[in-house]
Amino acid sequence: MSNRVLAPYGLRARSYSLVEVAVASGGVSQRDIGRILCLDKAHVVRLVDQVAAMGLVLRTRDPRDGRVWLIRATPQGAAIAEEAGRALDDAFGQLLQRLSETERDAAMTTLQRLAFDLEASDDEG
């Protein structure tokens, strides 16, 4: 469903996630992008190349470590991420409306537990 909702923006789930991470962080290393999105280095490079070619992010050298590339959202990238995020929120809201209150509560509990478990395993590793 996400890819269908994001298609009008020229994005897919991974490219949208990359732009969102770049917007939220104000600048993030490719290594951290890989960790956050659970992608290997080669996938991150291709994804950044693709999204940079769209004009949504740009690479800049980290002033603290010239060996590191920081990925920053462009103004266009930030605007598209905001629009696409609203479209995703609307789509997921409609999807969740189909569930009963009990089912929504159970789904949210499960998602929160998964998110907490992922964060805990990141802290351990």
Side-chain angles (χ1 to χ4, degrees):
M1 176 184 79
S2 295
N3 286 335
R4 183 174 35 82
V5 172
L6 294 168
Y9 303 96
L11 299 171
R12 296 182 56 79
R14 283 187 178 168
S15 53
Y16 168 75
S17 297
L18 169 64
V19 178
E20 271 296 315
V21 167
V23 168
S25 68
V28 62
S29 71
Q30 291 186 169
R31 179 180 177 188
D32 286 342
I33 289 169
R35 184 183 53 76
I36 292 165
L37 300 181
C38 299
L39 298 172
D40 65 38
K41 183 178 179 178
H43 281 104
V44 171
V45 170
R46 283 195 302 270
L47 184 61
V48 171
D49 287 345
Q50 172 194 3
V51 177
M54 296 169 67
L56 304 180
V57 298
L58 51 89
R59 287 181 175 98
T60 58
R61 289 287 183 187
D62 185 338
R64 296 166 299 190
D65 185 345
R67 299 169 296 171
V68 175
W69 287 102
L70 295 178
I71 308 307
R72 299 181 191 280
T74 64
Q76 177 188 5
I80 286 179
E82 185 175 333
E83 288 179 44
R86 281 195 303 268
L88 283 172
D89 287 347
D90 291 345
F92 282 110
Q94 290 174 8
L95 181 67
L96 290 175
Q97 282 181 344
R98 297 177 189 161
L99 301 176
S100 70
E101 185 175 346
T102 302
E103 291 169 325
R104 279 193 304 271
D105 289 345
M108 291 307 295
T109 299
T110 301
L111 290 172
Q112 289 168 346
R113 182 172 174 207
L114 287 171
F116 178 76
D117 287 349
L118 286 173
E119 286 178 18
S121 66
D122 281 349
D123 291 343
E124 293 169 4

